Amino acid sequence: MYIEKIKSPAELKQLNIEALKVVADETRQAVLNRVSKHGGHVGPNLGFVEATVALHYVFDTPKDKLVFDVSHQSYPHKVLTGRASGFLGNVDEMNAISGYSSPTECPEYDNFEVGHTSTSVSLATGLQKARDIKGTKENIIAVIGDGSLSGGEAFEGFDEASELGTGILIVVNDNEMSIAEPHGGIYKNLRDLRESNGQCNHNWFKAWGFEYKYLEEGNDVEKLIEVFRSVKDTNKPTVVHIQTEKGHGFTPAVENKEAWHYGMPFNKEDGSRPERPTTESYEQLLSDWLLKEMKQDKTLVAVTAGTPSAAGFTPEKRKEAGAQHVDVGIAEEQAVAMISGMAKGGLRPVWTVFSTFIQRTYDQIAQDLCINANPAVINVTWGGTASMNDITHICLFDIPMLCSIPGLIYLAPTTCEEYFAMLRWAILQDKKPIAIRIPSNGVHHTTETVDREYAYEAKYKVTQKGEKVAIIAAGSFYQKGENVARLLAEKGIKATLINPRYLNEVDRETLDSLKGGHDLVVTLEDGSKDGGFGERIAAYYGTSEMKVLVGGIKKDLYDRFDLQQLLSDNRLLDEQIVEDVIDILS
Ligand SMILES: Cc1ncc(C[n+]2csc(CCOP(=O)(O)OP(=O)(O)O)c2C)c(N)n1
């Protein structure tokens, strides 16, 4: 095997074309070995094997700088830059290698930690400027997928690269797919370019001032080497547009590209996955609910931004929703501004977004939506600790972010029934933008009646009256609050338990009422506690006698954390909270 011996890409340069093809095959098998045992991005990596071999053969990394977009296609690069053990080795060796580009893991060959889309060209323009000012001569190469071109930052990066006017190579990896089908006007031009072998007159990249080359055979090592050689050391902004096949070399991934974008372990002989018990999911419940409601209300529109699965919108459900589903592409900023406009225009838009990806929309939420007070609804999903855990995909910051924006109500339901009641109310009201944090600790049901109407001012719900200690347990951590209350009861302390429902502001009346009969308030939130929900309550009690124990996750750069360890380090295991309460009370 070549790849077991290759310690650096420079060694590729000793090989002839036939040997390079073997390297590509071995790399593909190594990627398959990892994703089938460990899970991870399947299609994006399988389609980019040949391009990676060719890039490393032609260019001279680490002197030349390679910048990946999302970096979910960087597995072949890892195999060829001394990390093959993460693909061929045991589980521990696989765990040691992240699924994204990571300078912490490999400072020599990985230039940036990347996980959100559409950033590679912008990051590369920074390296380009640094090179130009220092007067050095290295190639700067940005890789970007066709799907990621729809993000605004990608446009800004292209704009800057053209303005700089010096050498930069942008490899557009066009596999005709985002996670799902891509959306946006640019895809018409990409299609025309593909169909005309790069020759059509209206060429988006050329119009922007780029030199342009097209390669239809983007999975052919030899042809890729030829085209990359022809642009090596260019002193102009240059695009090489390659057509690749997502999932190349693994039939199940080629046949169902959306399902094989990312996945859990599988049998690589036939692509089958171990049967998993079918449990209820908010994705399925939400999409079913929206589809049913849409039939009664033609103004209801479900919006997604490149991740239709966030709302459970499978290809079949997208088809069923028709014009009442809009996917704006990987363009979260566009989604926010557009739902504001839709609400203004008399529609009832509901945008569903993963917690980590809402981060790039602070200004659109503050300006386009909230200052305008348009009654659009945002569903934030997977917010919390039991969610994605790569450093670039942490879902802990939506509460501090959204709760710092004036004019936005951020609700935290604790059960399925409460969630849909809040969602219905948010959709039907016409005064304010409302965000709702879908619980991320599984689907819990309640037999208690839930409120149908919600006030615009925070109104907490006291669910159990007790004394000495009050637990205010928000959203996904409400069940943790129940557990802590039960454990305290076993120790003879009957705690007050509160479902705050509102994350964005304190309910002064309820907080004041606790001053009689309680010495301690415990707040629990499933997210970063710095700037979060509990700190606001602690600040409210500031000058009073009330003690406040704020329970949440300390702000930090977490990477691939273990959930139990994270909770334990932050003293958020049920027993630890009980211990701390007893300690403070005694
Ligand atoms: C800001 C942001 N939104 C959404 C995502 C989720 N996401 C990861 S990869 C991807 C599709 C990227 O498509 P493309 O660039 O064409 O690469 P491909 O997977 O097809 O190789 C999306 C939507 C993300 N990583 N970042």
Side-chain angles (χ1 to χ4, degrees), residues 111-165:
N111 287 298
F112 297 99
E113 303 276 350
V114 191
H116 287 198
T117 68
S118 319
T119 68
S120 64
V121 181
S122 298
L123 290 167
T125 57
L127 297 177
Q128 181 185 359
K129 186 71 186 169
R131 177 203 59 197
D132 294 349
I133 288 205
K134 289 190 300 186
T136 51
K137 294 273 175 258
E138 67 272 18
N139 288 277
I140 309 292
I141 307 139
V143 171
I144 185 163
D146 55 321
S148 299
L149 285 180
S150 57
E153 192 176 337
F155 284 59
E156 294 168 27
F158 272 82
D159 233 7
E160 184 62 38
S162 171
E163 160 96 7
L164 288 175

Short mmCIF file of all heavy atoms in Angstrom, two decimals, residues 111-165:
data_model
loop_
_atom_site.label_atom_id
_atom_site.label_comp_id
_atom_site.label_asym_id
_atom_site.label_seq_id
_atom_site.Cartn_x
_atom_site.Cartn_y
_atom_site.Cartn_z
N ASN A 111 -4.70 24.88 7.25
CA ASN A 111 -4.50 26.31 7.51
C ASN A 111 -5.55 26.93 8.42
O ASN A 111 -5.28 27.90 9.11
CB ASN A 111 -4.43 27.06 6.19
CG ASN A 111 -3.11 26.78 5.48
OD1 ASN A 111 -2.05 27.10 6.01
ND2 ASN A 111 -3.16 26.13 4.33
N PHE A 112 -6.75 26.39 8.41
CA PHE A 112 -7.81 26.99 9.23
C PHE A 112 -8.73 25.90 9.81
O PHE A 112 -8.93 24.87 9.19
CB PHE A 112 -8.69 27.94 8.39
CG PHE A 112 -7.93 29.12 7.84
CD1 PHE A 112 -7.48 29.12 6.53
CD2 PHE A 112 -7.67 30.22 8.64
CE1 PHE A 112 -6.78 30.19 6.01
CE2 PHE A 112 -6.97 31.31 8.13
CZ PHE A 112 -6.52 31.30 6.81
N GLU A 113 -9.29 26.18 10.98
CA GLU A 113 -10.40 25.39 11.50
C GLU A 113 -11.63 25.87 10.72
O GLU A 113 -11.97 27.06 10.75
CB GLU A 113 -10.66 25.66 13.00
CG GLU A 113 -9.47 25.43 13.91
CD GLU A 113 -9.29 23.98 14.34
OE1 GLU A 113 -10.21 23.17 14.08
OE2 GLU A 113 -8.24 23.68 14.91
N VAL A 114 -12.29 24.98 10.02
CA VAL A 114 -13.42 25.39 9.19
C VAL A 114 -14.54 24.36 9.29
O VAL A 114 -14.28 23.16 9.23
CB VAL A 114 -13.04 25.45 7.69
CG1 VAL A 114 -14.15 26.12 6.90
CG2 VAL A 114 -11.73 26.16 7.43
N GLY A 115 -15.78 24.82 9.41
CA GLY A 115 -16.90 23.90 9.42
C GLY A 115 -18.16 24.53 8.85
O GLY A 115 -19.06 23.83 8.41
N HIS A 116 -18.23 25.85 8.90
CA HIS A 116 -19.36 26.54 8.28
C HIS A 116 -18.98 26.84 6.83
O HIS A 116 -17.81 27.00 6.50
CB HIS A 116 -19.69 27.82 9.04
CG HIS A 116 -20.34 27.55 10.38
ND1 HIS A 116 -21.03 28.50 11.08
CD2 HIS A 116 -20.42 26.43 11.13
CE1 HIS A 116 -21.50 27.98 12.20
NE2 HIS A 116 -21.13 26.72 12.26
N THR A 117 -19.98 26.95 5.98
CA THR A 117 -19.69 27.06 4.55
C THR A 117 -19.29 28.46 4.09
O THR A 117 -19.46 29.44 4.81
CB THR A 117 -20.94 26.70 3.69
OG1 THR A 117 -21.90 27.72 3.89
CG2 THR A 117 -21.51 25.36 4.02
N SER A 118 -18.83 28.49 2.85
CA SER A 118 -18.69 29.72 2.06
C SER A 118 -17.59 30.66 2.54
O SER A 118 -17.62 31.86 2.28
CB SER A 118 -20.04 30.49 2.01
OG SER A 118 -21.12 29.60 1.84
N THR A 119 -16.61 30.11 3.27
CA THR A 119 -15.58 30.98 3.87
C THR A 119 -14.22 30.85 3.19
O THR A 119 -13.34 31.67 3.44
CB THR A 119 -15.38 30.63 5.36
OG1 THR A 119 -14.80 29.34 5.48
CG2 THR A 119 -16.69 30.65 6.13
N SER A 120 -14.02 29.81 2.35
CA SER A 120 -12.65 29.51 1.91
C SER A 120 -12.04 30.63 1.08
O SER A 120 -10.86 30.95 1.23
CB SER A 120 -12.61 28.19 1.12
OG SER A 120 -13.37 28.30 -0.07
N VAL A 121 -12.84 31.23 0.20
CA VAL A 121 -12.27 32.25 -0.68
C VAL A 121 -11.87 33.48 0.15
O VAL A 121 -10.78 34.03 -0.01
CB VAL A 121 -13.24 32.61 -1.83
CG1 VAL A 121 -12.62 33.65 -2.74
CG2 VAL A 121 -13.62 31.36 -2.62
N SER A 122 -12.73 33.85 1.08
CA SER A 122 -12.41 35.00 1.94
C SER A 122 -11.15 34.74 2.75
O SER A 122 -10.27 35.59 2.84
CB SER A 122 -13.57 35.30 2.89
OG SER A 122 -14.72 35.64 2.17
N LEU A 123 -11.08 33.55 3.37
CA LEU A 123 -9.88 33.22 4.15
C LEU A 123 -8.65 33.25 3.25
O LEU A 123 -7.59 33.78 3.64
CB LEU A 123 -10.03 31.82 4.78
CG LEU A 123 -11.06 31.70 5.92
CD1 LEU A 123 -11.33 30.22 6.22
CD2 LEU A 123 -10.60 32.42 7.18
N ALA A 124 -8.79 32.71 2.05
CA ALA A 124 -7.65 32.65 1.13
C ALA A 124 -7.22 34.05 0.69
O ALA A 124 -6.02 34.30 0.49
CB ALA A 124 -7.98 31.79 -0.08
N THR A 125 -8.16 34.98 0.54
CA THR A 125 -7.75 36.34 0.14
C THR A 125 -6.87 36.98 1.21
O THR A 125 -6.01 37.80 0.89
CB THR A 125 -8.96 37.27 -0.14
OG1 THR A 125 -9.79 37.32 1.02
CG2 THR A 125 -9.77 36.82 -1.35
N GLY A 126 -7.08 36.58 2.45
CA GLY A 126 -6.20 37.08 3.52
C GLY A 126 -4.79 36.56 3.34
O GLY A 126 -3.81 37.31 3.47
N LEU A 127 -4.67 35.28 3.02
CA LEU A 127 -3.33 34.70 2.77
C LEU A 127 -2.71 35.34 1.53
O LEU A 127 -1.50 35.58 1.46
CB LEU A 127 -3.44 33.19 2.58
CG LEU A 127 -3.95 32.38 3.78
CD1 LEU A 127 -4.07 30.90 3.40
CD2 LEU A 127 -3.00 32.53 4.97
N GLN A 128 -3.57 35.61 0.55
CA GLN A 128 -3.11 36.23 -0.70
C GLN A 128 -2.50 37.61 -0.40
O GLN A 128 -1.41 37.95 -0.85
CB GLN A 128 -4.34 36.36 -1.62
CG GLN A 128 -4.12 36.95 -2.98
CD GLN A 128 -5.45 37.13 -3.73
OE1 GLN A 128 -6.52 36.79 -3.22
NE2 GLN A 128 -5.39 37.66 -4.92
N LYS A 129 -3.22 38.39 0.40
CA LYS A 129 -2.74 39.74 0.75
C LYS A 129 -1.44 39.65 1.55
O LYS A 129 -0.50 40.43 1.31
CB LYS A 129 -3.84 40.46 1.56
CG LYS A 129 -3.54 41.91 1.86
CD LYS A 129 -3.63 42.76 0.61
CE LYS A 129 -3.19 44.19 0.88
NZ LYS A 129 -3.02 44.94 -0.36
N ALA A 130 -1.40 38.68 2.46
CA ALA A 130 -0.18 38.52 3.28
C ALA A 130 1.00 38.19 2.38
O ALA A 130 2.10 38.75 2.52
CB ALA A 130 -0.39 37.42 4.31
N ARG A 131 0.78 37.26 1.44
CA ARG A 131 1.86 36.90 0.50
C ARG A 131 2.30 38.12 -0.30
O ARG A 131 3.49 38.39 -0.45
CB ARG A 131 1.35 35.81 -0.44
CG ARG A 131 2.37 35.43 -1.50
CD ARG A 131 1.72 34.81 -2.72
NE ARG A 131 0.75 35.72 -3.32
CZ ARG A 131 -0.20 35.36 -4.17
NH1 ARG A 131 -0.33 34.10 -4.52
NH2 ARG A 131 -1.04 36.25 -4.67
N ASP A 132 1.31 38.88 -0.79
CA ASP A 132 1.66 40.02 -1.65
C ASP A 132 2.45 41.07 -0.88
O ASP A 132 3.40 41.65 -1.40
CB ASP A 132 0.37 40.63 -2.24
CG ASP A 132 -0.32 39.68 -3.20
OD1 ASP A 132 0.29 38.65 -3.56
OD2 ASP A 132 -1.49 39.94 -3.58
N ILE A 133 2.07 41.31 0.35
CA ILE A 133 2.80 42.33 1.13
C ILE A 133 4.19 41.84 1.50
O ILE A 133 5.16 42.59 1.46
CB ILE A 133 1.98 42.72 2.38
CG1 ILE A 133 0.78 43.55 1.94
CG2 ILE A 133 2.85 43.45 3.41
CD1 ILE A 133 0.20 44.48 2.95
N LYS A 134 4.27 40.54 1.80
CA LYS A 134 5.60 40.01 2.18
C LYS A 134 6.49 39.78 0.95
O LYS A 134 7.69 39.58 1.08
CB LYS A 134 5.44 38.69 2.94
CG LYS A 134 4.84 38.90 4.35
CD LYS A 134 4.90 37.64 5.18
CE LYS A 134 4.13 36.53 4.54
NZ LYS A 134 4.01 35.31 5.30
N GLY A 135 5.87 39.76 -0.22
CA GLY A 135 6.64 39.55 -1.45
C GLY A 135 7.08 38.11 -1.66
O GLY A 135 8.05 37.86 -2.37
N THR A 136 6.41 37.16 -1.04
CA THR A 136 6.75 35.75 -1.26
C THR A 136 5.99 35.24 -2.49
O THR A 136 5.20 35.97 -3.10
CB THR A 136 6.44 34.90 -0.01
OG1 THR A 136 5.09 35.19 0.38
CG2 THR A 136 7.38 35.23 1.12
N LYS A 137 6.17 33.98 -2.82
CA LYS A 137 5.68 33.54 -4.13
C LYS A 137 4.72 32.35 -4.10
O LYS A 137 4.44 31.76 -5.13
CB LYS A 137 6.89 33.13 -5.00
CG LYS A 137 7.83 34.26 -5.36
CD LYS A 137 7.36 34.96 -6.63
CE LYS A 137 8.19 36.18 -6.97
NZ LYS A 137 7.58 37.44 -6.63
N GLU A 138 4.27 31.95 -2.94
CA GLU A 138 3.49 30.70 -2.88
C GLU A 138 2.13 30.81 -3.58
O GLU A 138 1.57 31.89 -3.72
CB GLU A 138 3.29 30.25 -1.41
CG GLU A 138 2.42 31.15 -0.56
CD GLU A 138 3.20 32.27 0.12
OE1 GLU A 138 4.33 32.58 -0.32
OE2 GLU A 138 2.66 32.85 1.08
N ASN A 139 1.64 29.64 -4.00
CA ASN A 139 0.29 29.57 -4.56
C ASN A 139 -0.71 29.56 -3.41
O ASN A 139 -0.50 28.88 -2.39
CB ASN A 139 0.11 28.28 -5.36
CG ASN A 139 0.86 28.31 -6.67
OD1 ASN A 139 0.38 28.86 -7.66
ND2 ASN A 139 2.06 27.76 -6.68
N ILE A 140 -1.80 30.28 -3.61
CA ILE A 140 -2.90 30.25 -2.63
C ILE A 140 -4.07 29.58 -3.35
O ILE A 140 -4.51 30.05 -4.41
CB ILE A 140 -3.33 31.69 -2.22
CG1 ILE A 140 -2.12 32.52 -1.77
CG2 ILE A 140 -4.42 31.64 -1.15
CD1 ILE A 140 -1.46 32.10 -0.51
N ILE A 141 -4.56 28.51 -2.76
CA ILE A 141 -5.60 27.73 -3.44
C ILE A 141 -6.81 27.59 -2.51
O ILE A 141 -6.71 27.05 -1.41
CB ILE A 141 -5.08 26.31 -3.79
CG1 ILE A 141 -3.77 26.41 -4.56
CG2 ILE A 141 -6.12 25.51 -4.55
CD1 ILE A 141 -2.75 25.38 -4.14
N ALA A 142 -7.93 28.08 -2.97
CA ALA A 142 -9.18 27.91 -2.20
C ALA A 142 -10.02 26.86 -2.92
O ALA A 142 -10.16 26.89 -4.14
CB ALA A 142 -9.95 29.22 -2.13
N VAL A 143 -10.57 25.93 -2.15
CA VAL A 143 -11.49 24.93 -2.71
C VAL A 143 -12.89 25.30 -2.22
O VAL A 143 -13.07 25.59 -1.04
CB VAL A 143 -11.13 23.51 -2.17
CG1 VAL A 143 -12.20 22.50 -2.55
CG2 VAL A 143 -9.76 23.08 -2.68
N ILE A 144 -13.84 25.32 -3.13
CA ILE A 144 -15.23 25.60 -2.70
C ILE A 144 -16.19 24.76 -3.52
O ILE A 144 -16.02 24.59 -4.74
CB ILE A 144 -15.55 27.12 -2.79
CG1 ILE A 144 -16.96 27.39 -2.22
CG2 ILE A 144 -15.44 27.66 -4.22
CD1 ILE A 144 -17.21 28.85 -1.87
N GLY A 145 -17.21 24.20 -2.86
CA GLY A 145 -18.22 23.40 -3.55
C GLY A 145 -19.26 24.28 -4.21
O GLY A 145 -19.43 25.45 -3.82
N ASP A 146 -19.97 23.74 -5.19
CA ASP A 146 -21.00 24.54 -5.86
C ASP A 146 -22.07 24.99 -4.86
O ASP A 146 -22.51 26.15 -4.88
CB ASP A 146 -21.63 23.76 -7.02
CG ASP A 146 -22.20 22.41 -6.61
OD1 ASP A 146 -21.58 21.73 -5.78
OD2 ASP A 146 -23.28 22.04 -7.11
N GLY A 147 -22.46 24.11 -3.93
CA GLY A 147 -23.49 24.47 -2.95
C GLY A 147 -23.07 25.68 -2.13
O GLY A 147 -23.84 26.61 -1.90
N SER A 148 -21.81 25.68 -1.72
CA SER A 148 -21.33 26.75 -0.84
C SER A 148 -21.19 28.08 -1.56
O SER A 148 -21.03 29.12 -0.92
CB SER A 148 -20.00 26.34 -0.22
OG SER A 148 -20.19 25.17 0.55
N LEU A 149 -21.26 28.07 -2.89
CA LEU A 149 -21.22 29.34 -3.62
C LEU A 149 -22.43 30.20 -3.31
O LEU A 149 -22.41 31.41 -3.55
CB LEU A 149 -21.19 29.07 -5.14
CG LEU A 149 -19.88 28.59 -5.74
CD1 LEU A 149 -20.06 28.39 -7.24
CD2 LEU A 149 -18.76 29.58 -5.49
N SER A 150 -23.51 29.59 -2.80
CA SER A 150 -24.72 30.40 -2.57
C SER A 150 -24.63 31.27 -1.32
O SER A 150 -25.46 32.14 -1.10
CB SER A 150 -25.96 29.49 -2.48
OG SER A 150 -25.79 28.53 -1.45
N GLY A 151 -23.62 31.05 -0.49
CA GLY A 151 -23.49 31.85 0.73
C GLY A 151 -22.91 33.22 0.43
O GLY A 151 -21.98 33.36 -0.37
N GLY A 152 -23.41 34.24 1.08
CA GLY A 152 -22.99 35.61 0.83
C GLY A 152 -21.49 35.82 1.00
O GLY A 152 -20.87 36.56 0.24
N GLU A 153 -20.89 35.15 1.98
CA GLU A 153 -19.46 35.35 2.22
C GLU A 153 -18.64 34.88 1.02
O GLU A 153 -17.57 35.44 0.74
CB GLU A 153 -19.04 34.61 3.50
CG GLU A 153 -17.65 35.00 3.98
CD GLU A 153 -17.27 34.32 5.30
OE1 GLU A 153 -18.17 33.91 6.05
OE2 GLU A 153 -16.06 34.20 5.55
N ALA A 154 -19.13 33.88 0.33
CA ALA A 154 -18.42 33.42 -0.87
C ALA A 154 -18.40 34.53 -1.92
O ALA A 154 -17.37 34.81 -2.53
CB ALA A 154 -19.07 32.16 -1.43
N PHE A 155 -19.54 35.20 -2.08
CA PHE A 155 -19.60 36.31 -3.04
C PHE A 155 -18.60 37.40 -2.64
O PHE A 155 -17.90 37.96 -3.47
CB PHE A 155 -21.01 36.93 -3.05
CG PHE A 155 -22.03 36.12 -3.79
CD1 PHE A 155 -22.33 34.82 -3.43
CD2 PHE A 155 -22.72 36.67 -4.86
CE1 PHE A 155 -23.28 34.07 -4.10
CE2 PHE A 155 -23.68 35.93 -5.55
CZ PHE A 155 -23.96 34.63 -5.16
N GLU A 156 -18.55 37.67 -1.36
CA GLU A 156 -17.65 38.72 -0.87
C GLU A 156 -16.20 38.33 -1.11
O GLU A 156 -15.36 39.17 -1.45
CB GLU A 156 -17.94 38.99 0.61
CG GLU A 156 -19.33 39.61 0.83
CD GLU A 156 -19.77 39.63 2.30
OE1 GLU A 156 -18.92 39.68 3.18
OE2 GLU A 156 -21.00 39.62 2.54
N GLY A 157 -15.91 37.05 -0.94
CA GLY A 157 -14.55 36.56 -1.18
C GLY A 157 -14.15 36.69 -2.64
O GLY A 157 -13.05 37.15 -2.97
N PHE A 158 -15.06 36.29 -3.54
CA PHE A 158 -14.78 36.43 -4.98
C PHE A 158 -14.54 37.89 -5.34
O PHE A 158 -13.65 38.23 -6.12
CB PHE A 158 -15.94 35.86 -5.81
CG PHE A 158 -15.83 34.39 -6.09
CD1 PHE A 158 -16.23 33.46 -5.14
CD2 PHE A 158 -15.31 33.92 -7.28
CE1 PHE A 158 -16.12 32.09 -5.38
CE2 PHE A 158 -15.20 32.55 -7.53
CZ PHE A 158 -15.62 31.64 -6.58
N ASP A 159 -15.37 38.74 -4.76
CA ASP A 159 -15.26 40.18 -5.01
C ASP A 159 -13.87 40.69 -4.65
O ASP A 159 -13.24 41.42 -5.41
CB ASP A 159 -16.30 40.90 -4.14
CG ASP A 159 -17.19 41.80 -4.94
OD1 ASP A 159 -17.10 41.78 -6.18
OD2 ASP A 159 -17.98 42.53 -4.32
N GLU A 160 -13.42 40.28 -3.47
CA GLU A 160 -12.13 40.75 -2.97
C GLU A 160 -10.98 40.16 -3.79
O GLU A 160 -10.02 40.86 -4.13
CB GLU A 160 -11.98 40.35 -1.49
CG GLU A 160 -10.73 40.87 -0.82
CD GLU A 160 -10.65 42.38 -0.79
OE1 GLU A 160 -11.69 43.04 -0.59
OE2 GLU A 160 -9.54 42.92 -0.99
N ALA A 161 -11.09 38.87 -4.12
CA ALA A 161 -10.01 38.23 -4.89
C ALA A 161 -9.84 38.93 -6.23
O ALA A 161 -8.72 39.17 -6.68
CB ALA A 161 -10.33 36.75 -5.10
N SER A 162 -10.95 39.28 -6.84
CA SER A 162 -10.88 39.98 -8.12
C SER A 162 -10.27 41.36 -7.94
O SER A 162 -9.44 41.81 -8.73
CB SER A 162 -12.29 40.07 -8.71
OG SER A 162 -12.29 40.91 -9.82
N GLU A 163 -10.67 42.03 -6.89
CA GLU A 163 -10.15 43.38 -6.60
C GLU A 163 -8.64 43.34 -6.35
O GLU A 163 -7.89 44.17 -6.86
CB GLU A 163 -10.89 43.93 -5.37
CG GLU A 163 -10.21 45.05 -4.63
CD GLU A 163 -10.70 46.43 -5.04
OE1 GLU A 163 -11.66 46.49 -5.84
OE2 GLU A 163 -10.11 47.42 -4.58
N LEU A 164 -8.17 42.32 -5.60
CA LEU A 164 -6.74 42.22 -5.32
C LEU A 164 -5.97 42.04 -6.63
O LEU A 164 -4.88 42.58 -6.80
CB LEU A 164 -6.45 41.07 -4.36
CG LEU A 164 -6.89 41.26 -2.89
CD1 LEU A 164 -6.64 39.99 -2.10
CD2 LEU A 164 -6.17 42.44 -2.25
N GLY A 165 -6.53 41.24 -7.51
CA GLY A 165 -5.98 41.13 -8.87
C GLY A 165 -4.72 40.28 -9.00
O GLY A 165 -4.22 40.11 -10.11
#
